Amino acid sequence: MSVHAVERVFWEFGNKPSRIDAFRRDPDAYLKAYQLTPAEQAMIRHVDLKALAAHGVNTLLTLMVWPLLKGADEMPFDYLVHMNDGKLPDMGMTGFKAIGLKGYIRFRQLRGALRRALGRGGPAKVGA
């Protein structure tokens, strides 16, 4: 219905992270309390950063909520990858700096995936 309703959901997640647990248990039931279109509900459920940004949702708000929904191991580089069409921006780095940064990011992603698979790390992914 409005960008405001979507932003309100994310603001309330950031303001009271325990609401995320209720959202994870039953996303559809949780989102019924808000006047959202099915498309907006899908954007929230899947944390579709590109669609949220295109819809007008404040990217600082999605940046705040991303680690709460996806876990700290997914931050900050996976956020940038999602916002940049699946590629890590070069951030002005070349040569060994760029190779080292990308290797570090891949290591963190692998470590996070292993922790989740073994039940040892962070929040479960919403919509996964």
Side-chain angles (χ1 to χ4, degrees):
M1 298 299 263
S2 74
V3 173
H4 175 74
V6 176
E7 288 183 338
R8 185 171 159 222
V9 173
F10 284 151
W11 179 259
E12 290 176 359
F13 284 165
N15 193 38
K16 192 169 183 183
S18 63
R19 293 175 191 228
I20 293 171
D21 293 332
F23 172 72
R24 281 197 181 103
R25 280 191 298 277
D26 191 350
D28 294 328
Y30 185 88
L31 294 174
K32 279 185 183 178
Y34 301 88
Q35 290 188 322
L36 300 163
T37 66
E40 290 168 337
Q41 290 178 11
M43 284 186 258
I44 294 168
R45 201 176 302 107
H46 301 293
V47 196
D48 186 343
L49 296 174
K50 291 290 283 191
L52 289 161
H55 191 59
V57 174
N58 186 303
T59 54
L60 289 176
L61 192 54
T62 59
L63 179 64
M64 174 186 77
V65 173
W66 179 264
L68 298 173
L69 291 171
K70 298 291 189 172
D73 279 339
E74 301 290 328
M75 192 64 189
F77 299 109
D78 279 347
Y79 181 89
L80 293 174
V81 167
H82 282 275
M83 291 299 284
N84 197 44
D85 297 321
K87 295 177 240 130
L88 182 68
D90 67 14
M91 296 178 276
M93 293 185 190
T94 59
F96 290 115
K97 284 183 180 180
I99 292 168
L101 176 62
K102 288 180 181 182
Y104 171 73
I105 293 165
R106 299 295 175 241
F107 165 76
R108 290 213 29 161
Q109 290 170 329
L110 179 61
R111 184 182 71 178
L114 286 171
R115 284 182 172 177
R116 284 188 300 278
L118 297 173
R120 293 187 190 161
K125 285 192 175 190
V126 174

